[in-house]
Amino acid sequence: TSPGIDPLRKFEMRVAIASGKGGTGKTTVATNLAFVALQEGMSVVYLDCDVEEPNGQIFLKPIVNWSKPVTVPVPRVDSAVCDHCGLCGEICRFSAIVPINNTVLVFAELCHSCGGCSLVCPLSAITEVPRGIATLMAGETQSLKYFQGLLNIGEAMSPPVIRAVKAEAREADLVIVDAPPGTSCPVVEAVKDCDLVLLVTEPTPFGLHDLQLAMEAVQKLEIPCEVVINRAGLNGAATEALCRRKGVEIVAELPDSRQVAEAYSRGELAAQADPDIHSRFHSLLEHIGAST
């Protein structure tokens, strides 16, 4: 590090904020960490990959620059060429393309865009056309670049949208990936390629159960993970015991605070409303910087 340069501003990491279940405070941690990093003079990219319900913009309030559709390729069958051999239906494991008598039905919502049906078609009767499934939005505030995806109503497959959001990442001192809750495919898509995963949990039986699932999922991906306990002070002994058993460090504890809850209900950042919370996020940011 050059003399006079704060090393906190130069650690260049991609940090995913995840949780085993919804409602633990994942976006609270992600947005407040971004805010404190901005106050330190860092450049920040915020990727809201919780594409079924992105809400980071409520707290960060970016000025929207552009939006565009996210599309996936789906098959289109030329009935004038198709000889109804049935190979397309045989290869599709999701019943997205189904030969019936002298026609071929396409269920675009079930298609996983693998392209297998067009590859096996001996007459090249199947081509691929784009189908919109989501909207990608970009905005900024101060030195923060904000990107989010929002699935269209009724759409079920979020990994392609998450990939589209992550593809917009720019070089920055800190890239924050606000992951969807749970441990399924969308979470894996969001956290892979990250340098660190912060697992946000709450000291409740459900929180403990889902934290263990999340830990196991991230550890299988061989990504370093650490834990942030939100609403700490209720009964964290079991959570602490789990972390010791799994060899995972608890790097921050955020107290259950009425002041923070009231700020949240107004769409305000906890770090702005409570100096103690600001200090805790600053310490968390320092810890992340020290781990690079």
Side-chain angles (χ1 to χ4, degrees), residues 92-115:
C92 184
R93 294 295 176 263
F94 303 99
S95 298
I97 186 165
V98 182
I100 298 179
N101 296 327
N102 293 323
T103 189
V104 179
L105 301 179
V106 175
F107 300 96
E109 294 81 4
L110 300 178
C111 180
H112 283 55
S113 303
C114 70

Side-chain angles (χ1 to χ4, degrees), residues 202-213:
E202 57 187 11
T204 64
F206 284 122
L208 179 67
H209 174 269
D210 292 340
L211 173 63
Q212 181 169 346
L213 294 178

Side-chain angles (χ1 to χ4, degrees), residues 27 30-31 34 44-48 56 60 144-147 176 178:
T27 296
T31 53
V44 179
V45 170
Y46 190 101
L47 306 176
D48 199 333
L60 295 173
L144 179 141
K145 305 292 185 184
Y146 179 93
F147 302 92
I176 294 177
D178 187 350

Side-chain angles (χ1 to χ4, degrees), residues 224-248:
C225 69
E226 297 171 336
V227 168
V228 174
I229 300 178
N230 192 26
R231 306 182 188 95
L234 300 177
N235 183 12
T239 303
E240 293 170 4
L242 172 65
C243 292
R244 284 195 300 270
R245 196 162 63 247
K246 293 288 187 179
V248 176

Side-chain angles (χ1 to χ4, degrees), residues 39-163:
Q39 286 197 318
E40 287 295 320
M42 300 172 67
S43 59
V44 179
V45 170
Y46 190 101
L47 306 176
D48 199 333
C49 293
D50 189 358
V51 299
E52 292 187 45
E53 193 176 5
N55 56 6
Q57 82 281 1
I58 295 174
F59 303 96
L60 295 173
K61 299 176 175 57
I63 299 173
V64 177
N65 295 327
W66 56 260
S67 64
K68 63 183 180 182
V70 178
T71 63
V72 293
V74 296
R76 180 170 60 188
V77 181
D78 186 343
S79 58
V81 178
C82 176
D83 67 353
H84 313 292
C85 67
L87 291 177
C88 56
E90 291 178 13
I91 197 173
C92 184
R93 294 295 176 263
F94 303 99
S95 298
I97 186 165
V98 182
I100 298 179
N101 296 327
N102 293 323
T103 189
V104 179
L105 301 179
V106 175
F107 300 96
E109 294 81 4
L110 300 178
C111 180
H112 283 55
S113 303
C114 70
C117 57
S118 61
L119 290 174
V120 300
C121 181
L123 300 178
S124 300
I126 299 175
T127 55
E128 291 184 321
V129 294
R131 185 177 77 88
I133 61 169
T135 300
L136 182 65
M137 184 195 86
E140 60 182 300
T141 176
Q142 300 179 52
S143 57
L144 179 141
K145 305 292 185 184
Y146 179 93
F147 302 92
Q148 76 166 39
L150 178 61
L151 271 174
N152 294 344
I153 294 173
E155 296 295 337
M157 287 186 291
S158 57
V161 187
I162 293 171
R163 286 193 290 272

